[in-house]
Amino acid sequence: MKKNFFFILILVLVSCENDDYVPINSSVDQSNFDTSKMGIGIDKQLLKALENVSNGIGAPYFILPNSSDYSNIPQDPLNPITESKVALGKLLFHETATGGNPKIESKKATYSCASCHHAAAGFSSGIRQAIGETGIGFGVNGNERIIDPSVPLDSVDIQPLRSPTILNVAYQDIMLWNGQFGGSGTNLGTEANWTNIPENFLGFEGVEVQAIKGQGVHRLLIDDNFVTTFGYKQMFDIAFPDVAENERYSTENAALAIAAYERTVLPTQAPWQKWLKGEFNVLTKEEKRGALVFFGKGKCYECHTGPALSDKNFYSFGMGDFDNTSGAIVLGNVNFDNVKKGRGGFTNKVADNYKFKTPTLYNLIDNGFYGHGGTFTSVKDVVEYKNDGISQNSEVPAENLASQFGNINLTKKQIDNLTLFIKNGLRDPNLIRYVPNTIESGFCFPNNDPVSRVDLGCD
């Protein structure tokens, strides 16, 4: 109960990726909307704008399914979503006992998937550069997590790109900023570049591949010993009854459960989602005007479309990397020149260089860092940057920059309204519903180091 109260408290205090979106079969009938709740003409204008950018479908085209509506949530055909998988994955994702393969023995069982993707930061990290093993502290929304100063830098689990949210990953068939995880769909034809990603050859989509690969990368360990020691055997038995028992308690099955859970983490309670269903009074007039800019002059919809507000393409907006500003760490074993090329660093195609996945825009305000290199600290800064069209990264060729960059000519008022829509209209205030009350080990989560235990109210 103490932990549940803390997570509720922190959420109160914290006020273009290859997304494979599909139209949702919705019972919403626009003709039956309660027009008495509409602003003076604004809502009707916005409904018309949605029709114009969705081939006439309108509001239903942008509606997310409920998290329990498995039949309408995009899923990997090789990993059907089931209630038992989701229940297991929800716990494993937050379980700090999974941190069982650290480089430093004293850090064992102190971190989890949720260390870098937690609800308090909109399922991102709350800091510019997420820290897994060797991280200490949490603060309010992950904002005070730092590297333990007593450990050698080569033992730190830290990545050369900002950790994206897991919100709306169901609408991606490939994962990571360069889209390298995923052995089907968008990545078909890139097999020659899978040398270091043998998991892609299993044929799973990106969410599943990332959950498999990530356990090794982030020094997690889920095996027979983990399952029996921490009480997960029965949940694995129920989730994977058709798998032979001698193969059931595996990294792959743990990953399939985690991926199934991640696909259900959808920001369905955001005001924009309620507005799409006819609750026209949930957005202010300024936020509605911002939505009109989003789906009109601002051209945001050209990359941010569908239920997840993210399309199937990669774009370059010339945003900076971790070496453009101080305060970030790039470890020596990272081919950073390749990382900075984004999609091109994976496909080896010049035309793909410096292009990164279109991120979802939901709950951006909860994290506080934006762009693949985290070089922005406010939503408004990003909007102004795209409006001005002056690249942060001088390495990016002009021909690789997105056509929308610097070509939208928004006024100050339009920028202000667009910012309000993104910050407030797209923020689900109740992501705590995707967090378990406790985990089977009984450990503190999402982190279990001594400093975090105090911050999180576990001690």
Side-chain angles (χ1 to χ4, degrees), residues 11 14 118-127 141-142 165 363-364 366-367 431:
L11 284 175
V14 178
H118 51 80
F123 281 101
S124 189
S125 66
I127 51 178
N141 71 325
T165 179
N363 285 75
L364 285 185
D366 288 341
N367 185 45
L431 296 182

Side-chain angles (χ1 to χ4, degrees), residues 217-294:
V217 171
H218 300 296
R219 308 166 197 171
L220 306 177
L221 182 61
I222 303 175
D223 57 10
D224 288 37
N225 183 60
F226 165 86
V227 168
T228 55
T229 300
F230 296 105
Y232 283 95
K233 185 178 184 298
Q234 184 176 16
M235 295 190 75
F236 269 87
D237 291 341
I238 296 172
F240 299 99
D242 298 328
V243 178
E245 188 169 359
N246 64 340
E247 299 176 356
R248 188 176 297 160
Y249 316 114
S250 66
T251 293
E252 182 174 311
N253 287 334
L256 297 183
I258 290 171
Y261 158 72
E262 289 181 314
R263 288 177 179 273
T264 68
V265 182
L266 303 167
T268 54
Q269 293 184 22
W272 175 240
Q273 284 293 313
K274 294 181 178 181
W275 185 95
L276 290 168
K277 297 174 183 178
E279 294 183 43
F280 293 105
N281 59 347
V282 297
L283 296 177
T284 67
K285 288 184 179 179
E286 289 76 18
E287 290 162 0
K288 293 173 185 178
R289 292 189 181 109
L292 282 171
V293 174
F294 189 101

Side-chain angles (χ1 to χ4, degrees), residues 301-341:
Y301 68 89
E302 293 184 3
C303 303
H304 300 283
T305 188
L309 293 181
S310 184
D311 67 3
K312 295 177 63 68
N313 291 306
F314 295 76
Y315 301 88
S316 174
F317 284 92
M319 294 181 176
D321 302 289
F322 278 172
D323 63 348
N324 291 112
T325 58
S326 62
I329 296 171
V330 178
L331 299 179
N333 62 349
V334 172
N335 183 350
F336 197 52
D337 286 338
N338 204 52
V339 170
K340 291 192 292 185
K341 290 181 179 178

Side-chain angles (χ1 to χ4, degrees), residues 338-357:
N338 204 52
V339 170
K340 291 192 292 185
K341 290 181 179 178
R343 183 65 171 171
F346 169 62
T347 65
N348 295 319
K349 295 180 180 179
V350 174
D352 289 339
N353 282 347
Y354 307 102
K355 294 183 179 180
F356 296 85
K357 288 191 312 180

Side-chain angles (χ1 to χ4, degrees), residues 81-82 133 148 174 205 282 318 359 375 387 397 413 437:
I81 300 175
T82 65
E133 183 198 346
D148 185 338
I174 55 177
E205 291 188 357
V282 297
T375 49
N387 190 58
K413 190 62 178 176
N437 292 323

